[in-house]
Amino acid sequence: MFTLRPARETDRAALYRICLETGASGQDATHLYADPLILGHVYAGPYLTYAPGFAFVLEDQRSGEVMGYVLGTPDTAAFEATLERGWWPPLRDLYPDPADVPRAARTPDERIVHLIHHPPRAPHDVLAEYPAHLHIDLLPGAQGGGRGRALMTTLLEALRVAGVRGLHLGVGESNVRAQGFYRHLGFQELRRAPGAVTFGLRL
Ligand code: ACO
């Protein structure tokens, strides 16, 4: 049995762990990264810090363990600007920019550190229609039982209440399971680049 509840600051370590354990196109990425926090710094931490009202978790009622999350932000452009001011600078001090390492030679850690120094901006045309974005990850023991849908429904309702008109998300091209999940929930494919697919949903 699982409880769905708003995320709390005390969930931060669990969010980082789940991010890592689902970080290889939905599979465990623990063996890929030397630094177990590096993925969470990009895909989990800033959402809990800067958009806590749009962060929800699944808690196993018996163990009290957090088993999954959905993390969103209603205004991607504002979120990117906030991260540029407050989130990335200390991380850039901590992790040197691997820009001098040729792209093909970068380790998985270096690829993520490169994102910390050079975060991609969501395209304007996507933001015009779909200003919010999200990340959702459930550990294997919580997958496939309707809980991903429940987390999405909760976040979508919070975004609607906030007056948001649409949201987008990026998913790895090889993560076909998650792509099927998004299509089933009504998302439309917006664009496809090497390695990544962008989906959008009007609210
Ligand atoms: N194709 C078609 N339909 C699907 C698929 C699929 N691949 N997967 C699920 N569905 C359907 C289900 O049948 C169900 O239908 P129903 O509600 O109409 O009966 C509905 O989608 C909801 O399925 P859930 O059981 O809620 O899905 P789940 O709990 O497994 O959550 C998720 C899906 C989030 C992808 C989960 O499996 C997961 O966390 N996987 C690992 C991490 C991951 O890949 N995260 C996405 C990264 S991309 C990003 O965050 C933007």
Side-chain angles (χ1 to χ4, degrees):
M1 293 289 280
F2 294 84
T3 302
L4 197 168
R5 62 164 173 79
R8 306 191 272 254
E9 180 54 39
T10 48
D11 297 323
R12 186 173 293 270
L15 301 191
Y16 273 62
R17 183 175 54 81
I18 294 166
C19 187
L20 180 63
E21 291 183 10
T22 57
S25 281
Q27 306 297 309
D28 191 355
T30 304
H31 61 292
L32 295 178
Y33 294 95
D35 184 333
L37 301 180
I38 198 78
L39 279 183
H41 286 326
V42 175
Y43 298 110
Y47 298 84
L48 185 62
T49 298
Y50 294 111
F54 301 91
F56 300 93
V57 299
L58 279 175
E59 185 180 306
D60 184 320
Q61 285 178 3
R62 277 170 304 183
S63 66
E65 191 184 348
V66 174
M67 296 291 287
Y69 61 70
V70 66
L71 304 170
T73 179
D75 183 341
T76 298
F79 187 73
E80 289 174 348
T82 299
L83 266 53
E84 201 50 55
R85 282 193 301 274
W87 186 257
W88 301 130
L91 289 172
R92 287 171 183 158
D93 290 343
L94 206 56
Y95 299 99
D97 187 351
D100 291 344
V101 181
R103 181 187 293 262
R106 284 179 200 146
T107 65
D109 288 64
E110 286 171 337
R111 288 202 283 271
I112 301 301
V113 175
H114 193 266
L115 290 180
I116 288 172
H117 285 269
H118 311 276
R121 296 293 176 111
H124 288 301
D125 58 329
V126 169
L127 294 187
E129 296 287 329
Y130 310 96
H133 80 269
L134 69 83
H135 298 283
I136 181 169
D137 291 306
L138 280 64
L139 292 175
Q143 294 171 9
R147 300 177 197 97
R149 181 191 271 280
L151 282 170
M152 291 289 281
T153 302
T154 301
L155 176 62
L156 297 188
E157 184 53 24
L159 291 171
R160 280 190 196 99
V161 167
V164 176
R165 64 183 179 284
L167 84 159
H168 71 278
L169 58 85
V171 56
E173 201 170 20
S174 59
N175 193 348
V176 290
R177 177 180 179 178
Q179 290 171 35
F181 169 75
Y182 296 129
R183 287 183 209 283
H184 186 76
L185 265 53
F187 282 79
Q188 306 287 322
E189 183 175 323
L190 301 180
R191 54 179 65 189
R192 189 172 278 262
V197 187
T198 304
F199 285 91
L201 180 75
R202 289 198 171 82
L203 297 177

